[in-house]
Amino acid sequence: MFAKSRRKQLLSAVLFVSFVISYLCPAELYSDSSAIIPHKGMCYATWEQEKFSSEHSDESLARLSALGTDHISLIVTRYQERYNSTKIVSNERTPSDKSLLHAAKTAHKLGLTVMLKPHIDLIEKGDGTYWRADIGFNSAEDWEEWFKEYRKMIVHYAKLADKMEAEIFCVGTELSFTSQKKEEWLRIISEVREVFSGKLVYAANWDEFKNIEFWDKLDYVGIDAYFPLSYSPNPEVEDLKRGWEKWKLELRDW
């Protein structure tokens, strides 16, 4: 973590952009490693309503393009109070639709491929360990209410993705507990297909991807590859390379 002043200095309190090299693999070919296509991608996010419409954002996208980036995942975050809350809301930290459209238009002008990627974050994290993967409920009524809210949100952003001519839309991100509800996700995917004409992906957490039962209904397999690579607090590069070997083999075999 950067100290607050240092973080402001580095980021100018504008955009948090994290580097990610993504590998998109067509779902029907995910057993064939030759089908993997490397991309130079960036996760592009803000936690202000109109910042994506700013000159700072336009400049950031131009710099990403100049660095060789060819894909961006455009992040929009909505919130729920706790892991067991059924209401999903936007707030002052949720980018507006207008600003998302502006960012996508700017990115396309720069030749970037765009994925719109909605996230859900928790406002109250309890002891600090709860996050979106823990969203879940004890009653059928609460499950039904949450999925009703989620479908409403995700279809809205699917329509927006189609309007911005995004090439890819992410139907969910790291919702590990909810993804066990296969029939609900099949309904989500079906409703999204009705309003979005591009490709679909789900972003599975690294420890979730083998349990997803709806990969064949999507165009891409998505894995957020935060695999543990070393127990050392300060590993050498060779340690990290060795740490990847297990996961490379596991992913290949799967």
Side-chain angles (χ1 to χ4, degrees), residues 137-251:
F137 309 93
N138 292 322
S139 72
E141 292 79 8
D142 284 346
W143 275 114
E144 183 179 357
E145 182 62 27
W146 185 86
F147 272 110
K148 179 181 177 182
E149 284 276 299
Y150 190 81
R151 285 196 307 274
K152 180 180 177 182
M153 180 200 76
I154 210 69
V155 169
H156 168 79
Y157 284 121
K159 290 178 179 177
L160 187 68
D162 204 60
K163 184 176 181 180
M164 67 174 58
E165 298 182 339
E167 288 81 0
I168 308 170
F169 181 68
C170 187
V171 299
T173 301
E174 299 164 350
L175 295 167
S176 304
F177 197 15
T178 80
S179 66
Q180 298 173 38
K181 301 287 187 178
K182 178 182 177 181
E183 295 305 316
E184 292 286 0
W185 282 96
L186 293 178
R187 180 177 176 183
I188 288 168
I189 294 165
S190 176
E191 292 188 15
V192 167
R193 292 272 188 208
E194 292 178 5
V195 298
F196 179 69
S197 56
K199 303 294 187 180
L200 299 183
V201 66
Y202 173 80
N205 198 42
W206 67 272
D207 57 357
E208 172 196 12
F209 71 93
K210 289 184 178 180
N211 301 322
I212 302 296
E213 296 187 57
F214 48 84
W215 284 131
D216 61 333
K217 302 301 180 183
L218 300 168
D219 300 294
Y220 297 118
V221 165
I223 301 172
D224 291 355
Y226 302 112
F227 295 103
L229 304 181
S230 173
Y231 291 103
S232 169
N234 189 28
E236 300 291 335
V237 172
E238 290 305 315
D239 295 329
L240 299 178
K241 288 182 177 180
R242 283 192 295 270
W244 263 112
E245 289 305 313
K246 171 185 183 296
W247 303 115
K248 284 166 59 179
L249 292 172
E250 189 167 319
L251 285 166

Side-chain angles (χ1 to χ4, degrees), residues 2 7 11 13-19 43-47 52 75:
F2 297 113
R7 187 175 179 178
L11 302 182
V14 178
L15 293 169
F16 175 78
V17 184
S18 61
F19 177 65
C43 177
Y44 198 68
T46 183
W47 288 274
F52 278 145
I75 307 300

Side-chain angles (χ1 to χ4, degrees), residues 23 43 56 72 110 114-115 127 151 181 197 204 253:
Y23 295 90
C43 177
H56 298 290
I72 63 164
L110 292 165
V114 174
M115 174 174 69
D127 61 1
R151 285 196 307 274
K181 301 287 187 178
S197 56
D253 293 344

